[in-house]
Structures are given as C-alpha cells and as structure tokens.
Amino acid sequence: MSEPQPVYLSDYQAPAYRVSHTQLTFELDPAATKVKARLLVERHPERETGLPLELDGEHLSLKSIALDGKPLEAADYELTEQGLRIPQVPERFVLDTEVEISPRDNTALQGLYQSSGIYCTQCEAEGFRRITFYPDRPDVMATFSTTLIGTAEPVLLSNGNPVEKGTLDDGRHFVTWEDPHPKPSYLFALVAGDLKKVADRFTTMHGREVSLEIWVEEENLDKTDHAMASLKRAMKWDEETYGREYDLDLFMIVAVNDFNMGAMENKGLNIFNSAAVLTHPKTATDVAYQRVEGIVAHEYFHNWSGNRVTCRDWFQLSLKEGFTVFRDQCYSADTNSAPVKRIQDVSFFRTAQFAEDAGPTAHPIRPDHYIEITNFYTLTIYEKGSEVVRMLRNLVGWEAFRRGSDLYFERFDGQAVTIEDFVDCMAEASGEDLTRFMRWYSQAGTPEIDAHGEYDYVTSEYRLTLRQRTPTTPGQQDKQPLHIPVRLGLVGTKSGRDLNMTLGGETLGRDAVIHLREDEQEFLFTDVAESPIPSLLRHFSAPVKLHFPYSREDLAFLLQHDSDGFNRWDAGQRLALLALDDLIAAHRNGVEKVMDSRVTDAFRTLLTSRIDDKAVLAEMLTLPSEAYIAEQQPLVDVDAIHAAREFVRQSLALALRDEFLAVFEANQSDAPYAPEPEQIAQRSLKNVALSYLMAIEDEKGLAFAQAQFDADHNMTDVRHALTLLVHSSRDDLASPALKAFGETWSHDPLVMDQWFSLQVTRPQEDAVERVKFLMQHPAFSLKNPNKVRALIGTFANQNRVNFHRLDGEGYRLLADVVIKLNRLNPEIAARLITPLTRWQRFDEQRQALMKAELERIKAEPLSPNVYEVVAKALA
Ligand code: B3K
Ligand code: ZN
C-alpha cells in the first residue's frame, strides 16, 4: 500500500464545475441498492473552460453513465479508486449515472448503511462519495430531489418536504422528497425502515407552522419526551438569542443504534446516535439528559451555523463547529445552572483538549493540512474553536457580536465561506482590530501565562506582570504572541471584596478584562486600597494555562471570598492539586503520606456553610480527576496519582464523615424524577457525599448505597450506587447487584453500555481480564461504536492504573482492538488509539511498551485514518 498523501489548505481552488440540481433515485436493497443520479452541471464561473469533470466516488459499482442523454463509451471516461473523470465535457450538461452499493456490508458507517435493519446515512465529511459519483466537497451546493423506492420499509425519509408518494406496478412503494435549500452533499440524508414517530408542532416567530417528528424503534416511543422538549426550547432560544428562525415545514430527528458520532445535522433530517436522543428516568442519568439536550440543540443550531452558511472546505470545519458548540454551550448555560455548565465544560476542556494540544496530533483550530478529515473532528476544532468564539464575544461585547452574527448570516446565506469571513463580520460590526486575534486559528498548542504581582504599601500600587509563551508543537517551531483577554479582579486581603481597579488613569471597575498582546506586559494598578490577591482568568476567559505563585493560604482565601464562582471553584482545584503534588512525591519516595489540613479545613467550611447552588458545591467537593492531575505533572506516574488521590479522598471522608453523612441525608428526595436543575443539583450533591462515605467503605455508606440501588428510583441514583458497590472491595454486595442489573436491562442497549462502563472502570487488578471477558458478552459487538466506546474506550481512558499496567496487557488489548477495527470502522479505530499516542508523558518502561504496540499497529495494512494517527504518534 502506498502512503496516504496529505491535502493542503494552500492548494484550495474553486471547483471546476458546480451542480445546480441533484436528482436521486434509490432502489433500496440490503446487498444491492441501485442509486440513479441526475446532475445538472455547469462550469464554475471563476474557473477556466475545458477542464475535465472530476467526481469523487468510492466503493461504487458503476452500471451506466450518460451525458446529455447519450451513453458514454468506456473510452470517454476514466474510473479510479477515488472516482470518475470525464476529460471532455461541455460548459453545461446533464450527467446521468447509475451505481450499485451494499448498505448491509458497510461497517464503516459512512455513506449508506444499515443499523438494526434500518437504512440510514452519514455523509459528513466525505461519505456521499460512497453513495454516488459526485463533487463531494462543501463548496458545491445544489437543490436536491430524492425518490426512495422500498419493498419492506414502511417509512422512507429524506431532506426537505415530501412531495409525492405512491405504489409502483411491481408493488414497491416510493416517496419523493424535495429540499428547496441548496446544500452541499455532506448534508444529504435518507432513512428507511420500520420506525415509529412521535409528533409535535412549533410555531416560529413569524408564524410558520413547523411539524416536529422524532422517529424511533417502537420500543423506544416512551423515550422521546426530553428530546422533543429540548428541540422546542432550542428553536425558541435561537429565535430569541440570534433572531434565527427555522426554514422548512418539517424537522425530523431519527434515532439509530449504530452511529460513529453523537448526531448529524442533515438538512431537515437529523440522524442521531440513539444515545443522544433517548431518555427515560429509569434508563438515563442526569448526565445523559443534559447531553441529549445539548446535542439536540447543537444539531438544530447548525441549521444556520453550518447549513444555511457552510464551510468552503474542510479546513474551515471550526467555522461551523466552534461557533455551534459555543451556541449550544450558551443555550445549556441559559437553561440549566450557568456556573456549573462552565465548570464542567472547562474541566473537560483542560483535561482533554490540553492533552491533545500537547501531544503528537496537536493541530491549529484551522489545520493547514490533513490526510484524513475524519481525524479532525477533534476537541481542538470543536471545543477550542468554541473558546475562541467565546473570546470574540467577550472582546467585542454581546451586542456587537450579535450584529456581527446577523451580518454573517445575511451576507453569506446560501454560501460556503471561510473563518476570515466570520471574523471579518465581527470586526466590521464592532470596529475592533482582530488581526492579531486571528493567530488563534493558525497556531497550535496551549499558551501558558506566567504571572506575578507585587503590591507596594507605600504607593498603593499593584504591579501585575504577565508573560506568555506557547510551547512548540509538531511542525510549528516558532510561536507568536497571541491576543489573550484576561478577565480579573483584585480581591482585598482585608475586606475579602473585589477592589476598584484603576489602570493608566482609567477606572476599570471591580471586574474587568485586560489584554495581553505582547510576549510580556506589565499592568500597573493605582490607588489599590489594600494588598490584593489577584483572581485571574475569571470564567476561564481564554483557553490558556495560567501560572501564578499562589500560596495555599491565598487559595483558601480565594475559595472563600472570590466573587467569581468559577474562580472560587478553580481555587479549590488548585489547592487540592498542591496537596496532591506533595502526596505524589511522598508516594514515589516511599515516605508516609500526610494530609494537608488546609484542604480538610476548606472542605469543612464548604460542607457547613450555606451555598445556594448545590450543583456548584458538588463540583467544589469533587477532586480533580486522575487525568487532570496527570496533565499537571511533568512525568505521569499513574500509580502515584491514583494512590495520592485515593489518600485525599479517604482522609477527607475520615475527617468529615459526619458532615458528609449530614449532606447525604439532607438531600434525599422521593419526588418523581425530573431532569430539572434543582433536582439534578441535589442529586449530584447527595451522590458526591455518598462517594466519600464509600471511599472508606463506611458501614452506613454501604447500607445507603445498597438501599439506593434497591430503591430503583431513577437511573442517576441507581447507576451511581451500583458503580460505588462495584468499585468497592465488597464483592458480596457488588456481584448480585451487577447480575441483577445486567439481567433486568439485557434488552436495552443503552443501559447495557452503562453496565459495561461501570465495570471496566473498577480499580481492582483484574480489570484487563474483565474487559476481555466482557468482550465475549452477547450484548457486546465490535461493530457497534457505542459498545466499543463503553467498553474499550472507557477502559483505556478512564481506568488509568489498569490501562497502564506494567506488563503491557492494557496496551496490547487496545492495539488488538484497533487492528480489528481498522478493517471494520477506520474512523472509530483511529479515535480509539488516542491514549497510546500520549506515550511521551510516561516513564521509559511504559514508553517502550506503548511504542511497541503502535509499531505493531503500523506494521498492518492500514486505513488512511489509522495510518495518519499512528504515523504522527511515532514521528
Ligand atoms: N457535524 C457532525 C459531525 C460528523 C462527523 C463525521 N465524521 C456532528 C456535529 O458536529 O454536529
Ligand atoms: Zn456540530
């Protein structure tokens, strides 16, 4: 096999030909679906005449081809692995092709495939070329009309509105759909099969009546309420917040069991991983409810940020994804607890995106080359992309941002555009110079800010120095300074209040943003009434690592007094991290571990003082995860990290047992389950308390966990209790509970995913063996991405001590799965490798073991997806 070659942004050219209308006919058959395509083609006005027509096409068997009604001879065109080329075509013409494809054998889940017998599609980014020959690129936008012909499929869906249906002479039936909005091929979708719908309505702000439909397998009809309610809330929110209204008469969501990602924003016909739609109090946790709400909103918001205005090329992916993640994050913040949403998003971001940005696959938000675009649906494109849009919003202010977004949607409606187009609208609407800001899009790596401050008692001045540097990343040695907005407050050490800030004679108020644009800048605050502790990067105002020499006393102080809830939480995390550092060192040196009483005191204060937002309190009582602690270490010692964190958990539980008991008992409720912020907050606080009690296997804690499991009130509580039992040393309690749960839910794939996950995160030594054993379970299948993620992904990413076992069995297991999946589903295989790519972070022995597994993978005949990741990891 020849090495796959990269595509470069700098090579972009407008397409030679564009398609104004696409007419498709599908004769559905599991092994031999016929796809007829009629394309109205014309030369692109910006391109020269006489160019060949080049169409993408993969895994297609061509049956016939005709140009302007005239069948082409074999000599008139060339067929390759990648597609079809017709050297000579007129300026304008009609192209007819007929191909055959096999949805049943499509295990990559890209293009047209079958999931539990349902035909469905996934075309982003380049799946449409597995359906028919086409210029499969986002800057070719056409109206579509699609006829689906089926035999046994009662439901036939595609984009737009149904315009005709009937029965053919041979008894087969058909439905024709028309989508009036020009769209790129990646937004095409079809669904066919035995599905049932739940229907509702929405009236838009201008009085358009929209039918809303959620299509599911019959047994899931009782699991759609939350998704439907979320959809309606999201439609309303987008009208109120962005003035964006839905533009078709029908909006459909379909749930399928086999899906590579969470969901897909196909025009008018969103296709969802069932895990991102279905909820029921008995089967879905609070986290799942919130995830469904976020994803439903995200896909809906794409109708404007993505569909009406789309990307010129896939290098611009963050144009739609960063902006849409930002939109869904704001939506969720508005509908739930805003501070908690920010804490959770940042906590995830700093763990996972920082690690990506520091590893061998680090790339800018707008990459300048790729081998396989599917590998670039990353945390950097999505989450860092969102952070950058958030900074823009904060830089120009909401009103100018909204004017900028109006301008963007109006100016580029129906077009495929670039990140510059978006940022230019923001600059135009606000009058800000965003030239330096654009570097965020081209520079990879997490910037680090070294800050220090000095208070002069005589002059009442506070001098804050900020220095920025971005570490080198693969292919980017020289980094330039970025424009970093630093939101801050100066908290008076006497008053505990935010002090008024004056900078360069200008009054900034008590909470303000300063702008770091150079490598190093000094900010001199005058008339600072008392010695302050700076609260920096409030709300995580920029996606950077901030270093400030806070003492533990400073952090304990901020934890109590900072007016910014986010930074109060962050102060607690930093305080815990400092204590953890000592304990990690103690563990490594074989010295007795001693708990830092400042942490215990801080927790006691939290547990006993009144905090209105229970969800925030639950976050504050949660220690940084092992993965986040690892992120802070120069060299990751998984065992020391685990031991240190367990030591802190147990010390806190021993010292504060009564306080945790009180919190647990005070937050019981038998109110009927509702996924509402207050209830969710109460449950998380109660369950955090229970976790501490179980950390010491307190008799009362064990009894509470068992009782909570037995009460079977809702999945959040049941799953939490079961996890605690399974992770405890009490096999006598864990085994029967696990067995009962597995039997009760053997028919529900989404609950079985949870059953798998909670077992493979067990810290006990036999975890690798358990993973192998569970891979033989009848409910497990390598062909189902949710199962692979639940079992293998969860193990490799969340069970750090066992994945990194010193005999290399964890690594070997992962590599074995990657090798198998490379053939079945390259997209999922490539994603799964991530933890192995981080080998530089570990000790030499583990490095060698991890690299050996990467080499073993590399020796296989590889898909471009897996090749790209492995080659980078070993470069
Ligand atoms: N746009 C889709 C991603 C599909 C990627 C497939 N490789 C989901 C989303 O971001 O909304
Ligand atoms: Zn998206």
Side-chain angles (χ1 to χ4, degrees), residues 331-407:
Y331 163 78
S332 293
D334 285 352
T335 39
N336 296 289
S337 158
V340 171
K341 174 69 181 154
R342 190 68 186 137
I343 289 169
Q344 288 170 346
D345 286 343
V346 172
S347 181
F348 170 66
F349 183 84
R350 292 199 301 206
T351 307
Q353 198 282 330
F354 278 7
E356 181 169 279
D357 237 353
T361 59
H363 53 278
I365 293 170
R366 177 164 55 194
D368 52 16
H369 67 282
Y370 58 75
I371 289 180
E372 175 50 64
I373 185 58
T374 308
N375 287 337
F376 283 77
Y377 287 74
T378 59
L379 297 167
T380 301
I381 306 282
Y382 275 65
E383 316 297 325
K384 190 173 180 183
S386 165
E387 291 303 320
V388 169
V389 174
R390 183 181 295 267
M391 284 192 287
L392 269 177
R393 195 256 334 244
N394 293 341
L395 279 176
V396 304
W398 166 249
E399 264 119 56
F401 184 84
R402 171 62 204 274
R403 283 198 304 278
S405 89
D406 286 352
L407 185 62

Side-chain angles (χ1 to χ4, degrees), residues 62-138:
L62 182 66
K63 297 295 169 197
S64 73
I65 178 164
L67 201 149
D68 284 333
K70 208 172 121 275
L72 293 185
E73 303 288 323
D76 297 336
Y77 62 91
E78 294 152 26
L79 270 181
T80 66
E81 291 260 291
Q82 274 78 45
L84 176 88
R85 184 169 185 273
I86 311 180
Q88 283 182 344
V89 291
E91 293 269 298
R92 248 171 192 289
F93 55 96
V94 177
L95 185 75
D96 283 289
T97 59
E98 186 182 336
V99 301
E100 207 172 88
I101 53 179
S102 177
R104 185 190 63 191
D105 301 316
N106 181 348
T107 57
L109 314 186
Q110 290 190 45
L112 177 64
Y113 64 94
Q114 283 190 298
S115 171
S116 313
I118 310 287
Y119 292 94
C120 62
T121 51
Q122 172 55 37
C123 294
E124 187 178 355
E126 298 181 334
F128 194 71
R129 62 189 62 185
R130 291 165 185 236
I131 292 177
T132 191
F133 288 104
Y134 203 78
D136 190 15
R137 43 188 289 168

Side-chain angles (χ1 to χ4, degrees), residues 174-190:
F174 73 93
V175 182
T176 300
W177 292 78
E178 255 165 33
D179 182 359
H181 297 284
K183 65 166 177 287
S185 49
Y186 84 85
L187 291 173
F188 170 80
L190 79 77

